[in-house]
Amino acid sequence: MTAALRLGTRRSALAITQSQMVADAVAAASGRAVELVPIVSEGDVNRASLSQLGGRGVFANGLREALAADRCDFLVHSLKDLPTAQPEGLVIAATPTREDARDVVVTRDGIPLGALAPGSRVGTGSPRRIAQALRHNPRLDIHDIRGNVDSRLARVRDGELDAVILAAAGISRLGGDLGGLRAEPLGLAEWPTAPGQGSLAVETRSDIDADILAALAQLDDEDTRVAITAERTVLSALDAGCSAPVGTHAALSDGDLRVRAVVYALDGTRRIGIDRTVRLAPGYGGETGSGNEAGAADDGGPIARATRAGREAARRLLERGAADLVPRESTT
């Protein structure tokens, strides 16, 4: 009898839900049972602020150690929490189709973020979201919070906070029930989110059995991988941590990849942005964007082009002074 595959996952309700979705898909693709292996990460036990923890992979390191030690066969990560540097011996075998990449503001009465009264208490542990919220409404009283989705919603429902900012994908994957609260989706053009937000990453060992790797690869969505490659390359090229105040979103349309990236001052008073489009269709290497430059003949396929687009976006941000705003992280 073929042994069940072991999927390593964090213990939170969202992580378990996401992992079970992937487990079901892998079981269908491989014909083998998949069992979840709960693993505790540093981010689950260290209650320090995300701004203090920085981009050290606190939600991924424990899982990766378990994978390298053969305590599981593959992992499921929320891609936005994954450092951009890939450890030796591990590979991202699949990036399933991305869900909603937006943030949402959740309140009791549906008042938009920009219209909240002075002193309104808004909860988020993300430096990017803090900077964006203060830029939209500098009168807010930001509370640095941690915890799962349900506990954050409860703090609004109970009146401790007037609003929280959450990822739309996380709410959707948990069933979308806000318990009577109201959600305001934030548009990606004005509110770009964390690189990879809304995406999952299925990670395994590079020496895993070929049949397992092939089964995992069936979950991969090329459009998602191309978009998140551009986004994460921006972050990596900026030398910024996963929790840096950087918002990036890339999207494909008719063979074009549009990359938007914004770097914020921590207090929201400054922003530096870039918006450019790269042609990904085979046989075409031209580019358009700010400055309307024309690129030389391109090669290497969509992933290579997305990587170059991310590097170019980061270079232009740095030319405009982004290094003065972004805390550097050598361990991202």
Side-chain angles (χ1 to χ4, degrees):
M1 183 174 181
T2 305
L5 298 175
R6 302 162 297 166
L7 192 168
T9 177
R10 292 173 59 201
R11 296 173 180 266
S12 72
L14 178 57
I16 294 292
T17 298
Q18 294 175 162
S19 294
Q20 189 61 58
M21 291 167 46
V22 172
D24 293 343
V26 172
S30 66
R32 296 174 62 173
V34 179
E35 62 182 25
L36 300 189
V37 180
I39 298 167
V40 176
S41 69
E42 179 186 354
D44 296 321
V45 296
N46 187 334
R47 306 314 298 171
S49 165
L50 287 178
S51 60
Q52 295 175 343
L53 292 174
R56 297 185 288 113
V58 293
F59 295 112
N61 290 342
L63 278 73
R64 284 174 157 175
E65 289 168 3
L67 179 61
D70 195 26
R71 288 163 42 205
C72 56
D73 298 305
F74 62 102
L75 307 170
V76 173
H77 304 280
S78 290
L79 191 54
K80 68 183 179 64
D81 296 328
L82 205 58
T84 55
Q86 187 64 29
E88 184 177 356
L90 302 183
V91 295
I92 302 299
T95 53
T97 302
R98 186 182 212 164
E99 291 196 29
D100 194 340
R102 295 176 297 176
D103 280 339
V104 295
V105 177
V106 180
T107 61
R108 289 184 295 279
D109 47 20
I111 297 176
L113 181 72
L116 287 173
S120 293
R121 298 157 295 179
V122 176
T124 177
S126 159
R128 170 189 59 81
R129 288 172 176 158
I130 293 171
Q132 289 175 317
L134 290 173
R135 185 163 186 85
H136 278 66
N137 187 342
R139 305 165 298 173
L140 299 174
D141 178 14
I142 303 294
H143 288 243
D144 191 345
I145 63 171
R146 296 282 305 278
N148 59 37
V149 171
D150 286 342
S151 68
R152 297 188 193 201
L153 294 176
R155 294 174 75 169
V156 177
R157 199 175 292 113
D158 296 343
E160 180 183 346
L161 296 171
D162 297 300
V164 290
I165 306 173
L166 301 171
I171 295 174
S172 174
R173 288 173 182 145
L174 287 172
D177 183 9
L178 296 178
L181 300 176
R182 306 281 295 278
E184 174 200 1
L186 300 169
L188 290 165
E190 291 299 321
W191 190 287
T193 50
Q197 183 158 311
S199 303
L200 299 177
V202 181
E203 187 173 43
T204 189
R205 295 183 297 277
S206 55
D207 62 356
I208 201 77
D209 290 347
D211 58 341
I212 298 176
L213 194 63
L216 299 180
Q218 291 186 45
L219 278 63
D220 194 60
D221 178 71
E222 185 179 20
D223 285 357
T224 297
R225 187 179 283 268
V226 167
I228 63 95
T229 294
E231 294 169 12
R232 286 166 58 79
T233 299
V234 173
L235 190 68
S236 176
L238 287 174
D239 194 19
C242 300
S243 63
V246 178
T248 307
H249 183 69
L252 286 90
S253 178
D254 298 326
D256 291 335
L257 176 69
R258 183 173 185 178
V259 181
R260 296 186 181 97
V262 181
V263 177
Y264 300 88
L266 289 170
D267 61 2
T269 55
R270 293 181 59 198
R271 72 184 291 279
I272 298 170
I274 187 77
D275 185 344
R276 64 194 311 267
T277 299
V278 176
R279 184 69 175 166
L280 294 181
Y284 184 88
E287 300 179 353
T288 61
S290 15
N292 295 318
E293 77 285 359
D298 206 351
D299 57 12
I303 295 296
R305 294 169 191 158
T307 299
R308 286 192 284 273
R311 288 175 180 159
E312 178 64 12
R315 183 185 69 80
R316 294 189 177 203
L317 289 169
L318 291 170
E319 287 178 348
R320 298 176 185 182
D324 297 332
L325 305 182
V326 180
R328 295 301 183 91
E329 289 281 347
S330 60
T331 54
T332 299

